Amino acid sequence: MFDKSKVKLGIAPIGWTNDDMPDLGSENTFEQCVSEMALAGFQGCEVGNKYPKDPVVLKKALDLRGLQIANQWFSCFLLTKPFEEVEKEFRAQCAFLKAVGSKRIGASEQSYSVQGQLNTPIFGHKHIMNEDEWHTLTTGLNKLGKIAIDDYGITLVYHHHLGTVVQTAEETDRLMDETDPKYMNLLFDTGHFYYCGVDPVMMCKKYINRIKHVHLKDVRTKMVEEVKAKDMSFLDGVRAGTFTVPGDGDYDFTDVFKVLEEGGYEGWLLVEAEQDPAKANPLEYAIKARKYIGEKTGL
């Protein structure tokens, strides 16, 4: 069983309101979202688009509910913007996260990403980096990671993601090989690996020493097959129900939990399962996830 003093459970607000498709959950307020997270038994969350931008206001609202900020997504454009521009945005987000007490910032390179393109099929259309682009990405991430840890005490973790330049096992391997573990580590996402045919357990074993944040996302295999058959986009797949919370889909998390536990993982286990709140009541599914994780991990 996990050590409760070293591993915490969190949940992402994307189950209440979708950042990429704001009509999904538009009726759900920030206050409802964080109150239901606490009610479901979680200790923390990530940052959503409805969260207060003032860190003092945000921290007060979270403190009232016994919640902490675990991480925040950062959209990198290292391949298509000057580094100085990316650095300025990165520093601003790190300053915000430091002010609310977070120890992680989760980056994903969004240059050429098709994840947010409603009319682009998620399979078969991703950008493949050339040698120069690989060099630009990995050196840029090392620089950002050094800034994060040296200036803000925050660890940079990279979020491999469907439709982006780092999606596959091979791309994740190269990213890890060409970045410095002092400055750049991995945000391990079960759903994004499983969705694209990569064994999450294999990747968890391979990078257990560099996994510094975990997203627990379950997948409905039948829906993934439909996405492939109909050439659907990532967002259309989300709307149709490709993802769900742990314990509700087709992935058995038992072995992943075992690898993390035996590897001495410390940090957040964070449920991140974007769905249509009209179809999957956020509180109901948060409780379902909390119960499943508790039964599997003892947390």
Side-chain angles (χ1 to χ4, degrees):
M1 295 295 180
F2 284 101
D3 184 340
K4 292 182 180 180
S5 67
K6 296 179 180 178
V7 180
K8 296 179 180 180
L9 291 183
I11 190 166
I14 202 164
W16 280 262
T17 304
N18 194 293
D19 289 355
D20 296 314
M21 296 179 287
D23 65 296
L24 294 186
S26 60
E27 70 282 3
N28 295 325
T29 65
F30 161 72
E31 290 80 7
Q32 176 189 341
C33 174
V34 292
S35 294
E36 290 185 351
M37 289 172 170
L39 185 61
F42 289 93
Q43 300 161 280
C45 57
E46 295 188 341
V47 180
N49 62 0
K50 289 187 178 179
Y51 281 39
K53 301 300 187 285
D54 183 333
V56 175
V57 175
L58 175 57
K59 194 168 188 309
K60 181 179 179 181
L62 296 176
D63 287 347
L64 284 170
R65 295 163 174 85
L67 296 174
Q68 298 173 288
I69 293 295
N71 170 52
Q72 185 177 9
W73 169 283
F74 178 75
S75 291
C76 274
F77 290 91
L78 289 166
L79 303 182
T80 51
K81 288 184 179 180
F83 179 80
E84 293 73 19
E85 189 176 333
V86 177
E87 180 187 350
K88 182 179 179 181
E89 295 169 354
F90 185 76
R91 283 185 177 277
Q93 190 162 314
C94 282
F96 173 82
L97 288 172
K98 183 178 181 180
V100 294
S102 176
K103 297 297 184 182
R104 299 288 183 270
I105 183 167
S108 180
E109 180 61 33
Q110 291 297 292
S111 298
Y112 313 117
S113 172
V114 301
Q115 75 182 71
Q117 296 178 9
L118 277 169
N119 297 317
T120 303
I122 190 60
F123 289 106
H125 294 265
K126 73 180 293 299
H127 181 79
I128 306 298
M129 287 187 287
N130 60 34
E131 292 299 311
D132 288 343
E133 287 171 330
W134 269 109
H135 178 74
T136 298
L137 178 62
T138 54
T139 56
L141 287 170
N142 280 333
K143 290 178 185 177
L144 293 178
K146 189 174 191 305
I147 289 168
I149 197 69
D150 288 353
D151 295 354
Y152 302 94
I154 291 172
T155 298
L156 172 63
V157 288
Y158 191 90
H159 190 341
H160 57 96
H161 199 289
L162 284 153
T164 70
V165 293
V166 181
Q167 168 182 299
T168 67
E170 293 76 19
E171 288 164 343
T172 304
D173 287 343
R174 182 163 182 180
L175 183 76
M176 292 291 97
D177 286 345
E178 297 183 12
T179 52
D180 190 332
K182 291 198 301 290
Y183 304 126
M184 230 287 294
N185 285 281
L186 186 65
L187 188 164
F188 170 73
D189 189 304
T190 56
H192 281 281
F193 277 140
Y194 186 62
Y195 194 125
C196 66
V198 176
D199 179 9
V201 175
M202 174 189 74
M203 299 304 284
C204 192
K205 287 179 178 177
K206 187 181 291 188
Y207 296 111
I208 184 61
N209 293 325
R210 291 185 71 179
I211 294 172
K212 303 300 180 184
H213 194 65
V214 174
H215 276 177
L216 302 176
K217 191 196 311 286
D218 209 338
V219 175
R220 297 183 177 101
T221 306
K222 183 179 178 181
M223 292 309 306
V224 174
E225 292 170 354
E226 184 175 327
V227 168
K228 292 178 180 177
K230 296 182 178 179
D231 283 336
M232 295 167 66
S233 69
F234 176 74
L235 295 181
D236 280 340
V238 168
R239 197 179 286 273
T242 48
F243 295 127
T244 186
V245 299
D248 187 61
D250 296 312
Y251 188 69
D252 184 345
F253 288 77
T254 303
D255 289 341
V256 160
F257 287 143
K258 184 179 180 182
V259 174
L260 290 168
E261 179 193 351
E262 292 180 351
Y265 175 75
E266 297 182 13
W268 289 91
L269 297 178
L270 197 127
V271 176
E272 193 220 29
E274 51 265 52
Q275 298 191 80
D276 182 349
K279 299 176 182 176
N281 179 275
L283 177 57
E284 178 186 346
Y285 277 73
I287 291 170
K288 183 180 294 190
R290 180 65 185 87
K291 183 174 184 290
Y292 176 82
I293 296 167
E295 289 172 350
K296 289 285 186 179
T297 66
L299 291 171

